Amino acid sequence: MMVAGVLTANLSPLLAVSFAEELDFGIERAGVLVSAGQGGVALSVLAMVPLLPRLDRRIVGAVGACVAAVCLALTGFAGTFAVVLGLQIVMGMGAGLSFASANSSLAYSRLPERAFSIVTITWMVVGSALLALGPTLHDIWPQAGVYLGIAAAELLCVVFISRLPDVRSLPRVAEAADAAMSRPERADGRLSRGRLAAAVSFVGAIALIFVANAIIWTYAQSIGVHAGLSAQSTGTLLGLCQLTGVVGTGITLYFGATDNKMRIIVPAGIALGVGGLLVGISGTPAPYIAGLIAMFVAFYCLVPLLLALAAELDTNAGRFVVLASAVTLIAGGSAPALGGWIVAPGYDWTRLGVVSFVLLIAAVPLLLPPVRAARRAATLKPSE
């Protein structure tokens, strides 16, 4: 279900290049289209938050994946910017249904670091395969091949979604969790203020992190060509380098449950910033590849760790996790348009690298309050 929800975001470099070159919309309008798709995801996620406790998340996720698949397939045969824009928004709304259903279900996990790490590895592998296949799909069927390939992957997800359990049927834990989603638990004023401050700081941090990553990731294929690689080799390289993210996810899987998550967050955040800077300033393949590897390892270490942190801060059994995920979508969705605007006057990729680095350095300190709040919440939690 999560794969169906994040697949289009994960493949934004493929989509951006296709929009800019195959559909001949140019780099700025390509960024707008990618942002529109992610905006649709965020809109759908936000709309679903109050409804999820009463819905079968399997049905919602499957319907969303089917909607996304149909819109992707139609995009391959669309010819005007307005039509593609509309399809991207509806596609994003469909993917958002799957994304919201997946995140709200994962919030029930007793081991959030492990659950989010396993899910991250899964969509990372699927995304890597499709990135590597992108140029081949284009050769087989110019313009439509890439979109039909992603649509097929979305439909394949439906098969697996249908085999998931309905979390509403889980004993007592799920029942109490869904009740809490409808009636948020109240603590004393002091604790509520502390949680609110931690939540605001957390939301600001993840917004900066996802913008910083997305402005590089969306244009990674174009930057690779600028660095001296062919389009085919860049697509293959992106897929292979993304698999190195398994190392980062493995770090979270085995060490993410530590009481002091800042020991992982600080080096990962710095590595992500330095990696983005290297990619942006690269004029040859070597720094480009080194930067990509640093970015993938660091980003896929941070993603499950941050989602698990959101789950630890969540007193509403899924609501804050879904809202935090929506923030990542809004941030990541606005980044392609922002990135296109930054580089458009002369395609200066160095500016992207510098902006990404600055955003990451600013984000890391903001995660200290939520880490402390989660640690306090863990000590106050009654033993089961």
Side-chain angles (χ1 to χ4, degrees):
M1 193 184 299
M2 182 69 90
V3 173
V6 304
L7 194 57
T8 53
N10 201 27
L11 297 176
S12 57
L14 206 58
L15 294 173
V17 170
S18 180
F19 292 146
E21 298 179 5
E22 293 184 332
L23 298 182
D24 198 27
F25 291 145
I27 198 73
E28 284 188 84
R29 292 209 290 177
V32 171
L33 289 171
V34 174
S35 292
Q38 295 310 300
V41 177
L43 179 64
S44 181
V45 169
L46 290 172
M48 289 300 296
V49 169
L51 303 176
L52 283 170
R54 299 187 293 275
L55 299 175
D56 186 338
R57 291 156 173 88
R58 297 170 302 174
I59 296 176
V60 174
V63 169
C66 290
V67 170
V70 170
C71 290
L72 280 163
L74 292 175
T75 300
F77 301 96
T80 66
F81 179 80
V83 172
V84 175
L85 179 63
L87 288 171
Q88 284 299 294
I89 294 172
V90 178
M91 176 210 71
M93 295 176 69
L97 296 179
S98 297
F99 189 77
S101 299
N103 276 292
S104 64
S105 298
L106 285 169
Y108 290 91
S109 173
R110 295 183 182 275
L111 298 170
E113 291 87 2
R114 180 165 297 179
F116 283 109
S117 294
I118 291 171
V119 169
T120 300
I121 290 173
T122 302
W123 60 259
M124 183 195 314
V125 171
V126 174
S128 298
L130 284 172
L131 279 172
L133 284 173
T136 302
L137 292 171
H138 168 71
D139 291 340
I140 294 173
W141 195 336
Q143 183 172 322
V146 169
Y147 303 102
L148 292 176
I150 303 174
E154 290 278 356
L155 292 176
L156 182 60
C157 291
V158 175
V159 177
F160 294 99
I161 291 173
S162 65
R163 302 180 65 85
L164 293 174
D166 182 356
V167 294
R168 296 176 302 172
S169 66
L170 296 176
R172 288 186 304 177
V173 174
E175 184 179 338
D178 278 345
M181 287 182 75
S182 299
R183 299 187 304 275
E185 180 183 334
R186 285 292 207 187
D188 64 280
R190 191 177 193 180
L191 187 57
S192 295
R193 287 195 297 271
R195 281 179 177 163
L196 177 61
V200 170
S201 184
F202 179 82
V203 167
I206 60 173
L208 292 176
I209 289 171
F210 275 78
V211 168
N213 181 74
I215 60 175
I216 297 293
W217 174 240
T218 301
Y219 300 103
Q221 188 156 355
S222 298
I223 298 173
V225 173
H226 170 75
L229 298 168
S230 67
Q232 173 73 52
S233 59
T234 302
T236 302
L237 180 65
L238 287 175
L240 293 175
C241 284
Q242 190 171 32
L243 289 176
T244 63
V246 173
V247 176
T249 308
I251 292 172
T252 297
L253 183 61
Y254 290 105
F255 304 107
T258 178
D259 289 337
N260 189 1
K261 287 182 171 59
M262 292 303 293
R263 293 177 181 175
I264 300 176
I265 289 172
V266 171
I270 293 173
L272 183 57
V274 171
L277 181 62
L278 281 174
V279 172
I281 66 175
S282 62
T284 58
Y288 175 76
I289 295 171
L292 279 181
I293 293 174
M295 285 187 68
F296 284 128
V297 173
F299 184 70
Y300 288 113
C301 173
L302 285 172
V303 167
L305 190 65
L306 294 176
L307 289 173
L309 180 58
E312 291 173 8
L313 293 170
D314 198 330
T315 60
N316 298 323
R319 175 171 287 175
F320 184 64
V321 175
V322 175
L323 287 174
S325 301
V327 170
T328 68
L329 292 169
I330 294 170
S334 62
L338 174 64
W341 174 76
I342 292 172
V343 303
Y347 287 77
D348 188 351
W349 304 112
T350 300
R351 286 198 292 262
L352 273 189
V354 173
V355 170
S356 177
F357 178 77
V358 171
L359 292 176
L360 260 302
I361 297 304
V364 171
L366 293 177
L367 288 169
L368 185 57
V371 168
R372 287 177 175 171
R375 193 187 309 165
R376 285 197 303 269
T379 61
L380 293 172
K381 188 181 296 182
S383 58
E384 297 181 9

